């Protein structure tokens, strides 16, 4: 439902934006190399609606229209991702060169993410070498765009890419390695650290990462549930944050890493200018139940030391994710308490929900609630500097294909026509009010 009570004022200079990613919107698949997602998508049964991202929103050919939508929305910044497979193709960086020019001309600050899951086909995060190749690619991108890009993101959600893509096999590359996926986490972290060094060497400043985090609530106060929730919290909230912010792996996971990672940890812990948090919903976790569970389409193997449980009570989105704005305040204050001075300023790099329809009061209520929750974190002393809605427009939602719609702009995937939703007008109005 549209809200009338004005959202409290955020500090001057607070960065308001929207996010997308290359594979989810770009299309123009024949103008780039293949990624692990193209290979995965071609395998029967992998994508809910059998679709592909070959055309997606056709953003590569329609970016002028999309930049106009961003300018019309009045955002300060646009978070998009650079496709490594496109950069490897001849002339691949030309597209991002034009996009960055158009954004700057429209007064929208470009904030590229350098890896958002579309690893070039043939590369593999189990190989350490992939981290070094990534740093070389990052140096190439920074060399070309660094004269106009003033804020960078290295990786998007390495936790999901590890867990869903390599441990559980429901995202590309479709591996079901369970805890043998830990080197995938380590090599992405190493890639991040090497990328930070490559960016700084090219003169770049204002570097962050976008990690997904959320509160993990035990299913009950029984010791077995509390212990299982604690372990899940390590995976979601500490496996990536501890090495980045403290320079060490958390007890309980560090021992599982093979070999001596001390020298790598020094690279991984390169100081960050800010820390990005993608937040959608909390997770309720209990002791293992001894059988494979289907959790919202995710097959959770019986041998995992935890089981994800349903959160009953709050409203859920079309994706079945519970709507719990106060959990955003909770995760932000938890991070501040856990990491203290080691936590740089925070930016919420993704937040949003999937609902059908161009008239989308549920999305307005979701965003309104979460932006107020963000303000409460600010009042509680968390140094939050920005907020990005996921997503500018409906797009290819990975294994769910086009069945989930996260956009402020509706996309008709037959005609590719864009139609701003009610939530687009609401966010535009919010930004106007915030600027007084
Ligand atoms: O669409 C994804 C995005 O690519 C990464 N974060 C979560 C979003 C919604 O599932």
């Amino acid at each position: 439902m549209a809200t009338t009570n004005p959202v409290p004022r955020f500090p001057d200079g607070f960065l308001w934006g929207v996010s997308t990613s290359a594979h989810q919107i770009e299309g123009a698949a024949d103008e780039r190399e293949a990624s692990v997602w193209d290979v995965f998508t071609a395998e029967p049964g992998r994508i809910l609606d059998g679709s592909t991202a070959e055309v997606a929103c056709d953003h590569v050919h329609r970016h002028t229209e999309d930049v106009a939508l961003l300018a019309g929305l009045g955002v300060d910044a646009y978070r998009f991702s650079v496709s490594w497979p496109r950069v490897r193709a001849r002339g691949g960086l030309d597209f991002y060169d034009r996009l960055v020019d158009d954004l700057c001309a429209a007064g929208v600050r470009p904030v590229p993410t350098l890896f958002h899951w579309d690893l070039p086909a043939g590369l593999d995060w189990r190989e350490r070498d992939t981290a070094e190749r990534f740093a070389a690619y990052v140096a190439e991108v920074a060399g070309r765009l660094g004269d106009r890009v003033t804020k960078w993101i290295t990786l998007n959600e390495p936790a999901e890419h590890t867990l869903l893509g390599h441990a559980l096999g429901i995202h590309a590359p479709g591996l079901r390695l369970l805890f043998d996926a830990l080197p995938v986490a380590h090599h992405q972290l190493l890639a991040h650290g090497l990328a930070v060094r490559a960016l700084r060497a090219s003169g770049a400043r204002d570097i962050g990462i976008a990690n997904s985090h959320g509160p993990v609530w035990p299913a009950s106060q029984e010791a077995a549930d509390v212990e299982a929730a604690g372990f899940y919290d390590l995976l979601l909230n500490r496996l990536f944050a501890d090495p980045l912010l403290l320079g060490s792996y958390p007890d309980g996971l560090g021992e599982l890493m093979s070999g001596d990672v001390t020298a790598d940890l020094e690279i991984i812990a390169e100081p960050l200018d800010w820390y990005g948090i993608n937040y959608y919903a909390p997770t309720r976790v209990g002791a293992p139940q001894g059988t494979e569970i289907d959790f919202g389409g995710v097959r959770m193997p019986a041998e995992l030391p935890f089981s994800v449980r349903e959160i009953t009570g709050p409203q859920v989105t079309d994706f079945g994710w519970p709507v719990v704005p106060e959990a955003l305040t909770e995760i932000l204050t938890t991070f501040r308490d856990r990491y203290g001075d080691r936590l740089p300023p925070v930016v919420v790099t993704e937040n949003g929900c999937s609902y059908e329809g161009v008239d989308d009061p549920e999305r307005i209520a979701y965003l309104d609630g979460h932006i107020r929750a963000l303000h409460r974190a600010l009042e509680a002393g968390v140094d939050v500097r920005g907020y990005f809605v996921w997503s500018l427009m409906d797009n290819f939602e990975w294994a769910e294909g086009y069945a989930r719609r996260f956009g402020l702009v509706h996309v008709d995937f037959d005609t590719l026509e864009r139609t701003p939703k009610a939530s687009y007008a609401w966010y535009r109005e919010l930004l106007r009010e915030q600027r007084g």
Side-chain angles (χ1 to χ4, degrees):
M1 205 172 306
T3 49
T4 46
N5 182 12
V7 168
R9 191 71 183 266
F10 282 71
D12 288 346
F14 190 85
L15 200 66
W16 296 99
V18 282
S19 298
T20 63
S21 93
H23 191 76
Q24 294 178 271
I25 65 165
E26 282 185 356
D30 53 351
E31 296 168 36
R32 59 163 169 78
E33 291 191 0
S35 80
V36 293
W37 267 96
D38 297 304
V39 176
F40 180 78
T41 301
E43 293 169 11
R46 292 297 203 178
I47 309 298
L48 184 67
D49 58 6
S51 61
T52 78
E54 275 170 36
V55 177
C57 306
D58 199 27
H59 168 71
V60 164
H61 301 128
R62 294 166 196 256
H63 70 274
T64 309
E65 184 182 351
D66 296 336
V67 171
L69 283 164
L70 288 161
L73 187 55
V75 282
D76 302 309
Y78 172 49
R79 175 183 168 221
F80 59 98
S81 80
V82 176
S83 153
W84 188 357
R86 193 173 300 286
V87 170
R88 277 159 61 118
R90 234 174 112 229
L93 262 171
D94 294 352
F95 166 65
Y96 300 105
D97 209 30
R98 284 196 297 276
L99 178 64
V100 164
D101 272 349
D102 289 357
L103 289 167
C104 293
V108 178
R109 187 170 175 192
V111 184
T113 303
L114 292 153
F115 178 70
H116 195 125
W117 304 350
D118 48 354
L119 189 71
L123 296 189
D124 188 328
W125 283 117
R126 284 174 294 178
E127 307 295 333
R128 184 186 175 85
D129 181 44
T130 304
E132 274 131 31
R133 288 169 182 256
F134 179 68
Y137 142 77
V138 168
E140 189 186 346
V141 177
R144 183 76 176 269
L145 307 181
D147 55 339
R148 288 150 291 156
V149 169
T150 56
K151 196 175 188 73
W152 298 88
I153 299 176
T154 56
L155 310 180
N156 177 73
E157 297 182 2
E160 268 65 21
H161 192 50
T162 306
L163 187 70
L164 301 180
H166 297 77
L168 299 177
I170 58 164
H171 274 190
L175 299 173
R176 227 168 139 75
L177 303 170
L178 301 183
F179 285 98
D180 289 340
L182 281 173
V184 169
H186 183 68
H187 294 150
Q188 285 179 90
L189 281 164
L190 181 62
H192 157 85
L194 293 171
V196 172
R197 288 189 173 177
L199 286 167
R200 293 217 196 282
S202 79
R205 298 285 171 269
D206 212 355
I207 303 166
I209 186 168
N211 270 329
S212 59
H213 293 298
V216 179
W217 296 337
S220 78
Q221 287 313 311
E222 298 285 328
D225 285 339
V226 172
E227 191 185 333
F231 188 75
Y232 190 89
D233 186 54
L234 282 185
L235 289 177
L236 181 66
N237 293 322
R238 301 195 71 152
L239 171 59
F240 293 89
D242 276 19
L244 292 165
L245 300 174
L246 306 178
S248 55
Y249 280 112
D251 290 347
L253 286 178
E255 310 79 81
L256 302 177
M257 292 289 168
S258 53
D260 183 1
V261 292
T262 320
D264 290 352
L265 281 165
E266 226 175 272
I267 301 172
I268 291 167
E270 276 293 328
L272 287 169
D273 298 298
W274 54 277
Y275 189 90
I277 293 187
N278 294 357
Y279 168 78
Y280 288 88
T283 316
R284 189 163 166 262
V285 172
Q289 290 175 310
T291 51
E292 180 170 291
I293 321 170
D294 181 274
F295 190 80
V298 179
R299 275 168 48 233
M300 307 288 271
E303 56 267 48
L304 288 176
F306 53 80
S307 61
V308 178
R309 311 283 178 82
E310 203 179 325
I311 294 182
T312 47
Q315 190 199 330
V316 294
T317 70
D318 278 2
F319 214 148
W321 296 354
V323 179
V324 191
E326 54 278 16
L328 173 58
T329 320
E330 181 182 331
I331 193 63
L332 291 168
T333 52
T334 299
F335 260 64
R336 191 264 326 271
D337 296 345
R338 187 175 283 172
Y339 296 108
D341 291 349
R342 308 296 286 268
L343 181 69
V346 170
V347 174
V348 173
T349 30
E350 283 183 29
N351 178 236
C353 51
S354 151
Y355 286 109
E356 286 292 318
V358 169
D359 183 20
D360 55 348
E362 304 93 340
R363 188 179 337 271
I364 294 173
Y366 180 100
L367 296 176
D368 181 271
H370 284 78
I371 292 170
R372 288 172 198 273
L374 184 62
H375 198 272
R376 285 195 288 280
L378 204 68
E379 285 170 341
V382 185
D383 185 2
V384 193
R385 303 277 179 95
Y387 175 85
F388 288 69
V389 173
W390 182 271
S391 174
L392 169 65
M393 56 188 157
D394 296 339
N395 56 50
F396 179 75
E397 178 54 28
W398 308 111
E400 306 281 318
Y402 298 101
R404 310 288 173 214
R405 292 181 175 273
F406 279 88
L408 296 177
V409 175
H410 178 271
V411 177
D412 178 324
F413 290 105
D414 293 324
T415 63
L416 297 171
E417 188 186 347
R418 278 89 161 122
T419 308
K421 301 181 188 179
S423 54
Y424 174 98
W426 176 86
Y427 194 43
R428 184 183 56 202
E429 204 40 47
L430 173 92
L431 302 189
R432 275 198 194 133
E433 282 166 11
Q434 285 292 321
R435 290 180 190 124

